[in-house]
Amino acid sequence: MAPTLARIRERGRIVLGYRQTAVPFSYVDAKDRPMGLAWALCQRIVPALQRELAMPDLRVTPVRVIEQMRGPMIKSDAIDIDCAPSTVTATRERQVAFSLPYYAANVRLMVRQGAGINSIDDLRGLRLAVVQGTTAERLVRAQHVRTGFQLLLARDYADAFRMLREHRAQALALDDVLLEGLRATSKSPDLFQIVGPPLSNQPEYYALVLPKDDPVFKARVDAALATLFRNGDMAKLQREWFQTAVPPFGHSLNVQPSAEVLAVWNAGARFGTPSGEGLDTSPNANLTGHGALTTPYPPGS
């Protein structure tokens, strides 16, 4: 039996990681219960694992994880799957494994309305907030010396957005879909706007984080995801979590799937089928489908 499945069987439960404020992928409701698209994907994977293990009563234990700890917690077997928006990178793959990608985003800036900031080049002498341990941190550090802004490191998404709201930072760098989620959860979303071009010419590809060196477990997770891509459930989940009102203030989040996202779903649907045999989902693989996704996964961390 795969090591991860054996551990789950012995433990009698599967441990799933989640975030507190990664709207709309992984966050909590008023009763501190996990929710969001990535969390919903894990809830669809669990029944497949229950069948694999012949354990219909297999329990789910949620564990809150911050970005900096997802790798160590997976490596130490503290969690079995990290159900949150994590970008696939070559550096991270040295520590963990990734499922099939399920989403694509671009790192951009969010500022207050009327700030006069239209791109990262306008931040000289100003303060830029970024969440420590994210790919956004790597991207802005690459432009730090050239642009001359002051870099503020945040613990998590909520901490970074708080810096922007309280005027401690003049801009926040993060994946565009996560910026939309943060804006929708604020009291006054119209006070903030996403500006400028993406900070990279390649999108960020999201996947679930899995234990490394357990290809059997990864295959089970990927097969469950591929089913969601093929039967249309992935599109339904996207509408449920990305085109709805967001707590606590009920502001509307209206994020449509981009051509890059549709290409990711198209490629994932071919997993395990004759047309998808040999499909390479490593960080440097080119995914094709829907005529949109032709760039490789980002090579950084």
Side-chain angles (χ1 to χ4, degrees), residues 109 111 114-128 143 146-150 170-171 193 195-197 199:
L109 298 180
V111 301
I117 299 171
N118 297 305
S119 73
I120 197 168
D121 293 328
D122 296 327
L123 290 176
R124 179 170 296 277
L126 302 179
R127 295 181 297 276
L128 172 62
Q143 303 190 49
R146 179 187 65 83
T147 309
F149 52 79
Q150 180 182 350
Q170 283 74 48
Q193 61 177 338
V195 299
L199 300 188

Side-chain angles (χ1 to χ4, degrees), residues 287-298:
L287 291 180
T288 58
H290 205 76
L293 185 55
T294 57
T295 55
Y297 291 165

